[in-house]
Amino acid sequence: MKMTLDLDLAAEAKAMVALAFRNGPIEDLHAGRPCTVCSGNLEISHISDEEMKAIMKSAVNTLYRLLWQRDCDPVAYNENLALGRRYTMHWDDPELKKPISKGSRPR
């Protein structure tokens, strides 16, 4: 089946990403000054293991809460999505292409 763009689903996905990632620990990393020495160098890690763990843990916790609300507290879920949508009004819609696997990521 060919995937098509559903604008409501795209808005929901963007809102969830804003709530789970953008408004999480990654925002603290992004708020700092860029490293002028290593900027753009893919050979240098830009996030420590501890920072990555904190980002993923926060995202999982937030997505779990949102998915739980979707099933058990739809009013709270819709209120949270409305908040997330305010952050993403001008974000690009999803691209409907196959995701790049970790092993084939360009370096």
Side-chain angles (χ1 to χ4, degrees):
M1 173 188 276
K2 182 175 168 130
M3 189 184 311
T4 59
L5 183 63
D6 176 326
L7 293 178
D8 290 332
L9 189 58
E12 185 175 8
K14 290 188 288 186
M16 292 177 81
V17 167
L19 295 168
F21 288 97
R22 185 203 179 277
N23 295 351
I26 201 164
E27 184 60 26
D28 293 334
L29 295 171
H30 178 257
R33 292 181 311 190
C35 174
T36 57
V37 175
C38 59
S39 181
N41 186 342
L42 297 178
E43 297 296 317
I44 298 173
S45 176
H46 300 277
I47 298 174
S48 71
D49 287 345
E50 295 80 24
E51 291 166 332
M52 189 66 178
K53 182 177 180 180
I55 291 166
M56 292 298 106
K57 188 171 178 109
S58 174
V60 167
N61 291 346
T62 302
L63 286 172
Y64 181 87
R65 179 180 47 80
L66 289 168
L67 293 171
W68 183 91
Q69 286 176 339
R70 183 191 64 191
D71 293 344
C72 301
D73 189 354
V75 171
Y77 179 70
N78 287 319
E79 288 171 353
N80 277 301
L81 284 187
L83 172 65
R85 284 184 175 120
R86 286 198 295 262
Y87 288 102
T88 64
M89 276 192 268
H90 302 291
W91 286 17
D92 294 340
D93 285 327
E95 295 180 11
L96 305 180
K97 60 184 181 182
K98 194 172 184 177
I100 298 172
S101 67
K102 185 176 179 183
S104 64
R105 182 175 54 170
R107 291 233 166 218

